[in-house]
Amino acid sequence: MLKVTIGQYYPADSFIHRLDARMKLLCTMIFVVVIFFIGNFLGYALAALYLVVVIRVSKVPPKFLLRGLRAILFIIVFTAVLNVFFTPGETLVFELGFVRVTQEGLLAAGRMGLRLVMLIIGSSILTLTTTPIQLTDAIESALKPFKKIGVPAHEIAMMMTIALRFIPTLIEEMDKIMKAQMARGADFDTGGIVKKARSLVPLLVPLFISAFRRAEELALAMESRCYRGDVGRTRMKQMKMALRDLGALISLAVFTGGLFILNHIANIHGIW
Amino acid sequence: MSIEIKNLCHYYGKGSTFEKKALDEINLTIEKGDFVGLIGHTGSGKSTLVQHLNALIKPQSGNIIIDGEDINADKSRLKAIRTKVGLVFQYPEHQLFDMTVYKDVAFGPKNAGLSEEEVDERVKTSLEMVGIAPELHQKSPFELSGGQKRRVAIAGVLAMRPEILVLDEPAAGLDPRGRDEILGQVKLMHEKLGITVILVSHSMEDIARLVNRILVINGGKIALTGTPAEIFSKFDELEAIGLSSTQTAYIMRDLQAKGFNLPNNIFTVDEAVATILEVYLHE
């Protein structure tokens, strides 16, 4: 049936898993930004090396990361191809009618492809090593500074937690309703667009009704446990920064520093 | 009209690290007109097994043969198979969707491509069979009570005129009166229409009252089969797999142990009351 890879967590006990979720979120954000400043392939090699080390330390099997990549392979290829054809450049590699492939185009495509791949792998490491609950807690604390200007940080985090919690439940529910309607001769696969859209009514109506019912029950259960939002709420699991979090930040700082030095050297010597 | 299951196996999450055997070499035959009870505790594979019967789940290995036809052999026959084998899921009222009770019950027959008159006739007789009064036909199914909703949902499957009716815990979550009504109607349908009925249930009492054959499933395997009398006298075997005989059977056994002269094959409350009274009045 349907497989959801968003927020998929790989349970293991590693240095990366034990890091504070807030630190992991910060580091991932810095990494993603830094990736876009790399201008040469030496830099990409360094970034790839850094990623490989992080993956090894995280104990996540590489095949989990590749699986995430497969899902967006099309986007990567598409972006790369666009870059090949629409980058202006002088050094012609070959020309076929109106199609001009230049060296600059190929390089831009390669850079963009590598960036996307590393971006996905970097953020997958975050979701694979952090439970969804920890992640939303981290997002909540990241949004805290914006509370002063009226951003409901706690509510956003709570909504995300609940949404993540209910994805598998709703998929299961949909599977069940689909089977029940198929047992009554419903057909979800054949016919034109109009017919297909109409055939979804017997699926979506019960699904929405059950989602509302669950929402109502959950609200009641939360209220009966005296939930009243953010104010005065304490946590069972306090997030604490430790020495290892500082270590992670320093390693990222060293990596970033190394990249900028490489960038500088590459600029002077004109390396791609 | 017999159902034949041969070497049926099914794994959850096949090929992944979470692989788990749900059905393990199931072999069984159900004759036409049988009223079969399927017992087993949660996670024993009951629901997975019944979903194979109308090809909602395809066998990973093994065959299901209904009336001599392998139901997974020809994809174009799927609709016909699903018409022949009606499956009522757990909490079937969760599948109601249409504006009126009438339209919801008509969904199945309409999908089968029947004429308007035929659909109308089927909707009316099915609703009558489950005891939904005509004045409720144009109401929204969501305005009905829980028991009524469930009966409308069952009528939606009956309107397909199945020759084999499979009900997965039809009485779950209903009050005692609602459950008696639903099960009484199932029994009546079995007698009146002569269809094969397979009833999945947790309640030994319900099974003892209704069926003429029992299948006990445990850990994806058929653990016991036989008539209610055969199954419910196997106290130890049932307890060994986390089930039990009927409460009445335990009372009768304890009374026998106390020295009362009672027959061996009493499993339902009504029978027990009659027998005990008879013995009591005689002594």
Side-chain angles (χ1 to χ4, degrees):
Chain A
M1 272 280 117
L2 288 157
K3 260 212 152 149
V4 179
T5 43
I6 309 162
Q8 198 187 38
Y9 176 66
Y10 180 83
D13 185 27
S14 76
F15 179 79
I16 308 281
H17 281 78
R18 283 194 299 267
L19 283 178
D20 191 296
R22 291 169 295 179
M23 183 53 78
K24 276 190 268 188
L25 186 65
L26 179 70
C27 287
T28 309
M29 273 155 48
I30 294 174
F31 180 77
V32 166
V33 173
V34 167
I35 287 289
F36 278 84
F37 282 105
I38 303 177
N40 58 79
F41 287 94
L42 272 179
Y44 286 116
L46 180 64
L49 186 70
Y50 186 71
L51 270 181
V52 167
V53 171
V54 172
I55 292 168
R56 286 306 292 267
V57 172
S58 75
K59 293 184 187 163
V60 176
K63 92 174 172 202
F64 274 79
L65 291 155
L66 294 178
R67 205 180 289 167
L69 271 184
R70 207 188 304 151
I72 58 138
L73 191 65
F74 173 74
I75 300 174
I76 295 174
V77 171
F78 185 72
T79 322
V81 168
L82 274 187
N83 267 290
V84 169
F85 294 125
F86 293 102
T87 310
E90 274 114 50
T91 335
L92 206 61
V93 177
F94 74 88
E95 194 170 7
L96 195 90
F98 63 95
V99 181
R100 275 170 59 90
V101 176
T102 62
Q103 196 179 31
E104 285 84 351
L106 285 175
L107 288 179
R111 278 193 205 109
M112 196 41 90
L114 281 172
R115 265 178 208 163
L116 284 175
V117 168
M118 288 188 188
L119 184 107
I120 299 301
I121 291 183
S123 40
S124 304
I125 292 173
L126 174 68
T127 54
L128 281 163
T129 60
T130 319
T131 61
I133 303 290
Q134 285 176 339
L135 198 58
T136 45
D137 281 353
I139 291 170
E140 178 176 351
S141 64
L143 288 176
K144 250 184 197 147
F146 301 103
K147 250 163 118 176
K148 291 207 177 71
I149 56 162
V151 176
H154 171 76
E155 283 73 13
I156 290 175
M158 182 55 85
M159 271 162 59
M160 284 173 61
T161 309
I162 293 172
L164 285 171
R165 160 65 185 76
F166 277 97
I167 288 172
T169 313
L170 287 180
I171 288 177
E172 205 175 286
E173 187 94 14
M174 189 174 83
D175 185 46
K176 219 188 94 184
I177 296 168
M178 221 163 148
K179 278 181 177 163
Q181 305 297 28
M182 272 155 73
R184 291 208 278 163
D187 183 354
F188 298 108
D189 302 323
T190 56
I193 289 179
V194 179
K195 196 175 162 243
K196 264 192 184 167
R198 282 184 57 149
S199 76
L200 286 181
V201 173
L203 180 61
L204 291 181
V205 172
L207 195 62
F208 271 92
I209 289 171
S210 99
F212 282 122
R213 189 181 57 234
R214 279 178 202 284
E216 218 168 307
E217 282 168 6
L218 181 66
L220 205 62
M222 284 166 78
E223 271 206 283
S224 61
R225 286 166 178 76
C226 303
Y227 177 78
R228 58 204 169 104
D230 188 19
V231 184
R233 189 169 169 79
T234 55
R235 290 180 184 286
M236 189 167 95
K237 285 184 181 155
Q238 295 281 350
M239 290 194 286
K240 279 198 198 100
M241 289 284 178
L243 207 58
R244 55 172 169 265
D245 297 300
L246 190 64
L249 194 62
I250 290 172
S251 87
L252 187 69
V254 170
F255 160 70
T256 312
L259 266 185
F260 278 99
I261 293 169
L262 263 183
N263 249 2
H264 192 66
I265 295 172
N267 278 342
I268 292 170
H269 295 280
I271 304 170
W272 293 341
Chain B
M1 299 303 150
S2 66
I3 306 171
E4 232 187 307
I5 299 176
K6 284 183 184 165
N7 306 322
L8 181 65
C9 291
H10 183 83
Y11 299 85
Y12 291 131
K14 194 167 184 163
S16 76
T17 40
F18 315 106
E19 184 173 298
K20 187 181 168 268
K21 208 163 202 177
L23 293 178
D24 186 4
E25 291 285 318
I26 300 267
N27 279 295
L28 61 93
T29 313
I30 294 168
E31 297 298 333
K32 178 182 160 60
D34 263 1
F35 195 143
V36 178
L38 186 58
I39 314 180
H41 54 80
T42 322
S44 59
K46 296 172 297 192
S47 297
T48 313
L49 176 61
V50 295
Q51 284 177 36
H52 277 92
L53 293 178
N54 64 354
L56 283 173
I57 303 180
K58 295 204 167 45
Q60 287 168 354
S61 70
N63 303 85
I64 294 154
I65 295 152
I66 295 178
D67 299 342
E69 180 190 359
D70 186 331
I71 61 169
N72 293 291
D74 183 0
K75 252 193 144 179
S76 64
R77 292 271 302 146
L78 264 188
K79 263 195 178 178
I81 300 287
R82 289 189 182 144
T83 308
K84 193 186 251 183
V85 184
L87 179 53
V88 179
F89 276 81
Q90 264 176 53
Y91 299 99
E93 60 273 25
H94 292 175
Q95 77 198 31
L96 297 174
F97 70 96
D98 223 324
M99 309 287 280
T100 66
V101 167
Y102 183 95
K103 279 189 189 164
D104 207 289
V105 176
F107 179 68
K110 268 193 183 153
N111 283 332
L114 299 168
S115 72
E116 202 119 324
E117 297 84 52
E118 179 75 16
V119 171
D120 183 67
E121 193 267 324
R122 283 192 180 193
V123 171
K124 283 180 178 153
T125 42
S126 323
L127 281 168
E128 196 194 327
M129 235 183 286
V130 296
I132 294 287
E135 56 267 28
L136 295 178
H137 288 192
Q138 294 307 320
K139 273 204 163 182
S140 161
F142 303 108
E143 291 171 29
L144 305 178
S145 76
Q148 285 172 325
K149 274 187 200 167
R150 183 159 306 177
R151 279 184 276 159
V152 170
I154 293 177
V157 174
L158 287 179
M160 307 282 286
R161 294 273 158 92
E163 293 163 37
I164 297 158
L165 183 63
V166 186
L167 300 116
D168 194 350
E169 302 256 6
L174 292 184
D175 55 29
R177 189 165 163 199
R179 99 190 268 123
D180 282 350
E181 277 175 7
I182 294 244
L183 294 174
Q185 276 149 358
V186 171
K187 176 103 182 151
L188 208 66
M189 276 182 284
H190 173 247
E191 282 160 6
K192 257 166 87 181
L193 307 175
I195 53 178
T196 312
V197 180
I198 299 170
L199 178 71
V200 178
S201 178
H202 271 123
S203 161
M204 302 299 158
E205 271 64 32
D206 292 344
I207 295 267
R209 228 154 20 105
L210 296 166
V211 308
N212 58 33
R213 197 169 157 227
I214 295 178
L215 300 169
V216 182
I217 183 166
N218 182 46
K221 285 183 181 164
I222 300 282
L224 300 167
T225 63
T227 62
E230 285 163 4
I231 298 292
F232 287 129
S233 54
K234 290 178 179 165
F235 295 94
D236 297 338
E237 280 103 321
L238 288 171
E239 282 167 18
I241 54 176
L243 298 169
S244 62
S245 188
T246 68
Q247 290 170 353
T248 314
Y250 283 99
I251 292 175
M252 298 303 279
R253 186 178 68 168
D254 291 352
L255 284 173
Q256 280 177 339
K258 290 252 183 242
F260 289 95
N261 185 18
L262 291 165
N264 250 335
N265 53 346
I266 307 296
F267 309 100
T268 66
V269 177
D270 294 345
E271 285 174 343
V273 169
T275 349
I276 292 172
L277 273 180
E278 198 179 308
V279 172
Y280 178 75
L281 292 176
H282 267 272
E283 283 175 8

